[in-house]
Structures are given as structure tokens and as C-alpha cells.
Amino acid sequence: MSSQPPVIILVETQLAENLGSVARAMANFGLIDLRLVNPKVDINDPKAVAMAVGAVDLLRKATFFSSLSEATADLTHIFGTTAIIRQMVKQCYTPNACVSLCFQNPMWRVGLLFGPERTGLSNEDLSLCYGVVHIAVEPDFSSLNLGQALVILAYEYYLKKTSPKEQFLQIGETMPAPLEQVQYFLSNLEHKLDQTHFWRADYKKPIMWRNLRNIFTRMDLTEQEVRTLNGVLDVLSRKKEP
Amino acid sequence: MSSQPPVIILVETQLAENLGSVARAMANFGLIDLRLVNPKVDINDPKAVAMAVGAVDLLRKATFFSSLSEATADLTHIFGTTAIIRQMVKQCYTPNACVSLCFQNPMWRVGLLFGPERTGLSNEDLSLCYGVVHIAVEPDFSSLNLGQALVILAYEYYLKKTSPKEQFLQIGETMPAPLEQVQYFLSNLEHKLDQTHFWRADYKKPIMWRNLRNIFTRMDLTEQEVRTLNGVLDVLSRKKEP
């Protein structure tokens, strides 16, 4: 799976919109191989094309099969998706666990199966699966849209593949401010507050000034932002015209 | 956020289908508060209602605002969603990091913002956000459907809230087989293979038998399955009628 993205197999899909939204989500997350087992709608249906947006090519390259066995003949492991866990002896995985397992086994050629919208995968189709992927949802509103279920699995695949940074500061053309610049701003601020008798009573200053420093030191300021704040400070503290 | 799920705020939504799919995904993942800032479509539009399926009530309870400030007045932290990272000094989070942060700060009252389909959130709206949530997508197909982006965030919220088991064996009304039952089956198999001269040459038996044991010991068999396999073995090895 690290070399080959999972194949997406839709069984007896009933709504054209879902063909389109599946194709679009596949393109968003780097999946390319779409297989359709006895679809009940046409991939050229205007609703499918409209929902696919720029992924129409991916949709048009979908391949057609008359049985699940034919659609999965070249694969080594297939996982069925279900919202409801049936009474069946089957290994169940979260999307994350399923994708992790596949990346741990790069020789696997994996297929992800999605059943008809109204009924989901049949127990017969599920019995052909190596495992089941179960997306945890609210028990009293457990019917996930096909395109929504697909996008969650595609998203988990892409997360594992790309391991994006969990958090970062996006700062455009400026740079994080060195502390001496922040310190210069703080000295400037303290000086101006001293001049305007902000502290009211001298004994109050240490705590008030500590609280103010806390505000500015946790702000992740950039060099440009420190310059801007110094400018704001200078203008605000300028002597009023008489 | 652990006590209060995040509020979903849609800014100038243009397609009725998306209102419906957002409502449905919210219901799937336990989100309840939908706020609409100047929507360009009607929540009673048949396309919205059709896509909402059973979540029409949630859609009908959506509240309306004429500005982002009004829609977020009671919240403490809002996160904008963007596919493309702009040139702006902004803290960026993956969906997982954003949701983790919110759960670490249960006193926060969080809003998740989604912009108009064609343009996304304006830089002005983004500048009001505490941070930005960025869903990593293929750079050359980065336009995520609004409902798809929402479902990814809602899914991450629900994952964090419910911490489902990553993997488990679903076994219906039977129980995992104790090893003595598996061992009984293996003894039965070995005995029958001895009788039928399966090993061909005695010196080959140790390795062949070890390989066969490996197949059956990694199978996570249940009590019922061991009984079934014993039955299969007995029938297959039954003396043929003359």
C-alpha cells in the first residue's frame, strides 16, 4: 500500500451523485483505481459528472465487473466497509488501523469495498473480505453517505502516506521574531506606561507588568508584527497636538 | 469541547446539496449546532432536504446571521478551514491537532468555519480566526467538497470523543476457541493425514506438519469454527462407499 494506493470497489451503487463524489474524493487523496461491480447508474449521468468536478477523467477510467470475485481477482486483501457490525466472525478495524495494517504490509494489494447505499454490503460479500472497516458513528444516526465514508478512508490513507506536520506557524514572508526584538518592544511599552502613570501605585507595578509581559510573550510574534506593534505604541503615545 | 461539541459555521454557502450533506454528517458524528452566515440557498430547498436524509431537523434548527462576528459572538475560539495555505501569519493545525487542542481546553467554546464553495474563506474572515485547520490533499487536486471537508473534521472530533477500539474480533454468539480445542483439531488432522500417507516420506513430515500448524494457529478460530472444521475433516476422511 505504500507503493500502491488501495483500489476502490463500489458494489451496485444506486446514486449517480455518489459516483461523482467518490471520484472527487479519490482525486483529492491520491487514489486512482476505481472499480464498479454492477452499478445501477451511468458514470456519464450529469449528476455524477457534476459531483466529480475535476475528477471526471478518473470516473471515466473506472472499470466494470459483473461480480465481486472478478473485480478483486488480482488483489490480495479486501476490506468491506460497514456502519453496523453484523453477527459474523470477522476482524474489525478502525479506518486508521486498517490503513496502518496495509502500510505495514507493502506486498499486499488492497481493495476497499463499499456496498449499495440502501442496504450496504451483503453478508455474502462480507464473508469474502479479509476484514471489516468500521467507522464509529452515533448509534441513532449511523447511516453514512457513501461519498462521506469513502472520504474518511481516503483521508486516513493520505495522512499515513504523507504524515503532514500536526501543527506549524504559517508566516508568509516574515520570520519569527528573535526574543531581543520582543524584549525591545516590551521595554518600549514599559517606558511609555511609566511616563503615563499607568500603574497608579508603584507597589502594583510588578504584578501588573508581569501580567502584561505574559500577554506578549505567548503570542508567537514575527519580526514584522513586532515592528507593527512598536509603530502602534509610538503613535498611541505621541503627545496630543495642543 | 469534551462537554460541548464544536459549532459549525457555514459562510455564504452556495449549493443546497452541501447544506444537506453537512447536516447529515453532523448528525452522524454528534454535532448539533449549525449556524449559517448569509447563505445563498434555502435550507428548505429540495436538494438540501434530500441530502440531509434523516438530519432534516438539524438543518431546520440552523440559526441565521448576517455577519461572522454575530455568528461567533458567544464562542471563544474559531478555526477556519482552508485547502490552500495563504501568505498570512497564522497557526495551522491538522484536523487531529485542532480537535486534540480543543479537548485539552474544555473551557473553550469552539467554532469551525467553512467558507463559500468557490472561493473559500476570505482573508478577512481568516484574520478573525484563532487558527486554521488544513486538510492535507493532493497539491494538484486540492479542492475539497464542503461536505467532505466537514465530515473529516466531524469524524476526527467523534474519534477523539469516543476513542473506539482500533481493532477487535467480532464473533457473534460464539467464543474464541481455547487452545485445547485447536490442539484437538490439529491432532485429529495429523492422525487423518498419517492414515492417508499424506507425508509421502517420513523425514518430510516435521517441516510439512509445522507449516500446516502455522496455518491453523494464526486463524483466530472460534469454538463454533473449530467444531465446523472437525466436521469437515471427518466427512472428507470418511471411507468411501465401496
Side-chain angles (χ1 to χ4, degrees), chain A residues 88 148 155-156 166 170, chain B residues 88 96 148 155-156 170:
Chain A
M88 196 185 284
Q148 307 282 52
Y155 159 76
E156 286 280 10
E166 283 284 299
Q170 168 68 25
Chain B
M88 194 183 287
N96 172 56
Q148 307 282 52
Y155 159 76
E156 286 279 12
Q170 168 67 25

Side-chain angles (χ1 to χ4, degrees), chain B residues 45-108:
Chain B
D45 186 299
K47 288 181 197 159
V49 172
M51 290 298 282
V53 189
V56 173
D57 274 1
L58 195 152
L59 189 58
R60 297 238 162 93
K61 284 182 187 148
T63 46
F64 292 82
F65 299 88
S66 58
S67 74
L68 183 56
S69 305
E70 289 172 68
T72 60
D74 60 323
L75 306 179
T76 62
H77 293 71
I78 56 176
F79 293 83
T81 52
T82 63
I84 296 150
I85 299 173
R86 325 282 177 94
Q87 290 295 83
M88 194 183 287
V89 182
K90 194 56 87 178
Q91 195 72 45
C92 297
Y93 301 87
T94 61
N96 172 56
C98 171
V99 167
S100 298
L101 188 67
C102 299
F103 272 95
Q104 285 157 23
N105 295 282
M107 290 178 308
W108 289 10

Side-chain angles (χ1 to χ4, degrees), chain B residues 105-223:
Chain B
N105 295 282
M107 290 178 308
W108 289 10
R109 182 98 175 97
V110 172
L112 301 174
L113 258 61
F114 298 82
E117 288 88 337
R118 265 187 283 277
T119 56
L121 288 167
S122 68
N123 284 346
E124 201 180 320
D125 286 348
L126 282 174
S127 73
L128 297 172
C129 293
Y130 176 76
V132 158
V133 183
H134 176 66
I135 301 172
V137 284
E138 283 285 284
D140 54 358
F141 198 85
S142 66
S143 162
L144 263 176
N145 168 265
L146 171 54
Q148 307 282 52
L150 181 282
V151 83
I152 287 170
L153 286 166
Y155 159 76
E156 286 279 12
Y157 160 75
Y158 198 74
L159 261 191
K160 201 70 69 185
K161 181 183 160 193
T162 58
S163 302
K165 267 191 291 186
E166 284 283 299
Q167 184 184 338
F168 60 95
L169 186 66
Q170 168 67 25
I171 53 171
E173 289 175 2
T174 175
M175 293 289 285
L179 289 174
E180 70 173 350
Q181 292 183 13
V182 179
Q183 190 53 52
Y184 172 82
F185 166 75
L186 287 171
S187 303
N188 190 4
L189 178 63
E190 183 181 14
H191 176 68
K192 302 250 156 76
L193 294 176
D194 283 345
Q195 285 182 322
T196 54
H197 311 292
F198 173 76
W199 320 107
R200 297 185 188 187
D202 277 356
Y203 76 92
K204 290 187 175 172
K205 177 176 167 180
I207 289 180
M208 290 173 73
W209 181 226
R210 190 181 64 203
N211 292 344
L212 268 168
R213 283 200 312 268
N214 277 332
I215 295 174
F216 290 97
T217 51
R218 69 166 183 257
M219 283 166 75
D220 258 343
L221 292 166
T222 67
E223 294 184 328

